[in-house]
Amino acid sequence: MASLSLQHIYKKYEGGVVAVSDFNLEIADKEFIILVGPSGCGKSTTLRMIAGLEDISEGEIYIGDRLINDVLPKDRDIAMVFQNYALYPHMSVFDNMAFGLKLRKLPKDDIKRRVSEAARILEIEHLLERKPKALSGGQRQRVALGRAIVRDPKVFLMDEPLSNLDAKLRVQMRVEITKLHQRLQTTIVYVTHDQTEAMTMGTRIVVMKDGFIQQVDSPTELYEHPVNTFVAGFIGMPPMNFINASIHVEDNVVYVAFENTTIKLPARYSIPEVLDHDGKEIIFGVRPEAITDDATYVSQHTVTGFSADVDVVELLGAETYLYVTVNGSLPLTARVDPTTSQSRVGEVVALAIDANRIHLFDKETEQSIIS
Amino acid sequence: MRNRNEPKLTSLSASLRARTVMIYVVVGLLALLSIFPFYYMFINSSYSSYHILKQMNLLPGTIKQLVMNIKSLSGHPEFNFAIGFENSLIISTAATFLSVYFSALTAYGIKVYQFKLRNAAFLFIMVVLMVPAQVSITGFVTEMMSMNLIGTKWPLIIPALAAPGTVFFIKQYLDSSLSLDIIEASRIDGANEFYTFNRICLPIMVPALATMAIFSYVANWNNFFTPSIILSRLQDKTLPLMVYGLYSDRFTDYGQVFAGLSISVLPLIVVYLFLQRFIIQGVSAGSVKE
């Protein structure tokens, strides 16, 4: 186990393409760090630089106190789990898992003990004699995990390990990897484009876009306090509603106006950063669950209420998504309680925003106004 | 009520059947064309030279004549099966091993490593593929003479290292069946490059290697042109050269020639039977998910 330090990391390709720019991150020992972002954001490149599979154009990477920029992958004491498993097709599950140990010339008894232990943890003891082609997708991914576990490396690197599994298996493996982290107490760097995986597994999440870190925070902080519209829109499903609005201040009270609606914000928003935007255009962010059609709530919160036309109602069992249009032009999504929601397609519905859970972003910089 | 689709289906199945029959006829004819020369060779080894020249024989002759033809081979001054077999075996085995192994290394290098002029290197190999061996034979023989290697097996073995056709075939196979993630997994597991090639990549390549080994072995075993220039003494000659020695300006015993030819191709059939079981598709199935 070890900490990991990435200092001013750049990855520049021939032709001037910059995949990763000034990446700075301190990963503590035993931390489960998630690198998340859309395709091409540089998350996998960063992971591959940590693994030693890509050269580092600039910057320094340390595992513990050791600078590893010029250390070969085999000497970095890391293990990696690939998206497509990357098992050795001609070897049995046992040999796949034992491969790295044999190369390190460990005693046979030790190899057998370690492989058996990992197989027991991953519940693949009965598969040890099989070849990869005789395994299901989930079993193959377990073997790939097992191959990493037996090595007892300082850092685990996982490159979208669940992407090739079906939805049900993905949820199951997600839980198992989380349990594995709790059990092994090891440092994990995990790359994914799936924000659900990021939110549920990581102790901290690094959101990336176009090679730049956007925000590094715990899942809760990231969700509650996104630093910009990109992070706010990327984290959360359905995504946050972004509304072009303007701020008006009267008697130190902040009002947000959009379409033909004006809502009053609670006193806690009367801070200099917000007050400075008086009369300015902003981006008003509201998560779908902060909009409700609950009649009692709406009647009690008229200052944040508005009406909208219901376009689509999606019943998902535990929750309902309302796709509505305000003033005939502003589409919004609301996540409401199916047990209380009375909204029907084609009707005009009264909605209210939970003003304590809104976000304000600068129109030009798209950065959050509320720090 | 009669199903409206029924006549349509019937005509579809009839047309499918007709197509299948057509395919079988064409494939059967092609198979016959391929097999017939071998059949003709084996059949004629059981006839006397007189009967071979007199008529076209389509049915086997006598065992007695076959034995006579084979026995006459052993008495021929230009034919020694044991020596010819040994020479052919050494040259073909060594050349096949070298061509397949080093071609695999080359293809692996081009596939796995990113380096400047990688595409140019591959293109150069392709260009070499277009040049027939006969074009360079004068220079090759002169070079071998200067190195004092004429009359030895080396000129027939060492050049097998460079086999552009084999490189091309293996490279194409790797493009479709080798995921670079497997190579990277092996590196992270602690293997060096050579170990990764030998222990991880070569086993994945086995179907391509077996296919190329068959081609290479057959080509080297049957090679007549270069050995005829390099080898002159009887104790150095390969089987095809010895069979050629059965021809004479005055009298050629064709029964003997066909028997010699039949004996000389038998080892090839054994090699084919041994290697063809390795040509199985999907050896890397389950290794990575595309």
Side-chain angles (χ1 to χ4, degrees), chain A residues 118-222:
Chain A
R120 194 178 55 74
I121 292 170
L122 293 162
E123 296 172 12
I124 50 170
E125 288 161 295
H126 59 295
L127 305 173
L128 287 175
E129 298 307 315
R130 288 201 203 166
K131 294 271 177 72
K133 67 180 171 193
L135 303 177
S136 69
Q139 288 170 335
R140 285 177 203 169
Q141 198 51 281
R142 278 166 205 264
V143 176
L145 280 170
R147 188 169 63 180
I149 291 173
V150 292
R151 294 255 316 279
D152 192 19
K154 282 186 174 151
V155 180
F156 277 92
L157 306 175
M158 301 192 183
D159 191 2
E160 308 208 24
L162 308 184
S163 301
N164 282 345
L165 303 179
D166 63 53
K168 197 175 166 190
L169 207 53
R170 204 178 304 160
V171 175
Q172 190 187 332
M173 286 302 288
R174 204 165 73 198
V175 176
E176 294 202 16
I177 291 177
T178 309
K179 277 190 199 165
L180 207 60
H181 176 243
Q182 287 160 2
R183 182 184 182 132
L184 300 174
Q185 288 291 301
T186 182
T187 314
I188 298 181
V189 184
Y190 186 107
V191 162
T192 181
H193 63 266
D194 182 346
Q195 52 106 1
T196 316
E197 274 175 33
M199 293 294 285
T200 51
M201 298 170 85
T203 43
R204 274 196 305 159
I205 300 172
V206 180
V207 183
M208 293 181 72
K209 184 195 172 196
D210 299 335
F212 289 92
I213 292 181
Q214 301 293 308
Q215 188 171 357
V216 183
D217 248 321
S218 68
T220 319
E221 276 297 303
L222 213 59

Side-chain angles (χ1 to χ4, degrees), chain B residues 176-205:
Chain B
S176 64
S177 61
L178 179 72
S179 160
L180 292 183
D181 283 351
I182 294 179
I183 305 300
E184 291 178 343
S186 165
R187 286 174 185 160
I188 289 177
D189 266 345
N192 63 33
E193 295 303 302
F194 206 55
Y195 194 90
T196 300
F197 172 74
N198 285 322
R199 295 299 176 91
I200 303 297
C201 196
L202 271 188
I204 293 172
M205 288 186 201

Side-chain angles (χ1 to χ4, degrees), chain A residues 254-278:
Chain A
V254 181
Y255 294 89
V256 174
F258 57 93
E259 299 301 328
N260 53 0
T261 306
T262 301
I263 65 167
K264 183 184 168 189
L265 298 191
R268 71 184 187 91
Y269 289 98
S270 301
I271 52 174
E273 292 93 327
V274 180
L275 297 174
D276 285 350
H277 281 75
D278 182 19

Side-chain angles (χ1 to χ4, degrees), chain A residues 31-167:
Chain A
E31 205 173 1
F32 196 142
I33 279 278
I34 309 267
L35 304 184
V36 70
S39 296
C41 72
K43 55 189 187 299
S44 283
T45 310
T46 306
L47 191 82
R48 290 170 61 79
M49 284 193 282
I50 300 172
L53 300 173
E54 295 269 0
D55 291 333
I56 302 160
S57 308
E58 276 178 48
E60 292 176 335
I61 298 183
Y62 293 86
I63 293 180
D65 298 327
R66 183 181 176 214
L67 179 68
I68 54 153
N69 281 37
D70 299 319
V71 177
L72 287 172
K74 68 187 179 80
D75 300 323
R76 292 192 181 198
D77 201 2
I78 49 162
M80 188 158 168
V81 180
F82 292 83
Q83 179 178 356
N84 59 16
Y85 323 130
L87 299 178
Y88 311 125
H90 54 293
M91 294 184 190
S92 66
V93 167
F94 181 91
D95 289 335
N96 260 282
M97 290 167 71
F99 185 72
L101 302 178
K102 283 178 184 167
L103 281 165
R104 280 167 180 75
K105 298 195 165 44
L106 261 67
K108 275 187 176 173
D109 290 349
D110 201 13
I111 293 175
K112 203 173 173 189
R113 185 183 54 74
R114 285 208 203 187
V115 172
S116 305
E117 171 70 7
R120 194 178 55 74
I121 292 170
L122 293 162
E123 296 172 12
I124 50 170
E125 288 161 295
H126 59 295
L127 305 173
L128 287 175
E129 298 307 315
R130 288 201 203 166
K131 294 271 177 72
K133 67 180 171 193
L135 303 177
S136 69
Q139 288 170 335
R140 285 177 203 169
Q141 198 51 281
R142 278 166 205 264
V143 176
L145 280 170
R147 188 169 63 180
I149 291 173
V150 292
R151 294 255 316 279
D152 192 19
K154 282 186 174 151
V155 180
F156 277 92
L157 306 175
M158 301 192 183
D159 191 2
E160 308 208 24
L162 308 184
S163 301
N164 282 345
L165 303 179
D166 63 53

Side-chain angles (χ1 to χ4, degrees), chain A residues 334-347:
Chain A
R335 183 154 75 190
V336 299
D337 186 349
T339 57
T340 57
S341 176
Q342 300 292 318
S343 302
R344 299 285 177 270
V345 174
E347 290 178 357

Side-chain angles (χ1 to χ4, degrees), chain B residues 107 114 138 143 177 191 234 241 252-253 260 262 287:
Chain B
Q114 299 285 337
T138 317
E143 202 179 333
S177 61
L234 181 68
L241 292 183
T252 301
D253 181 348
S262 300
S287 148

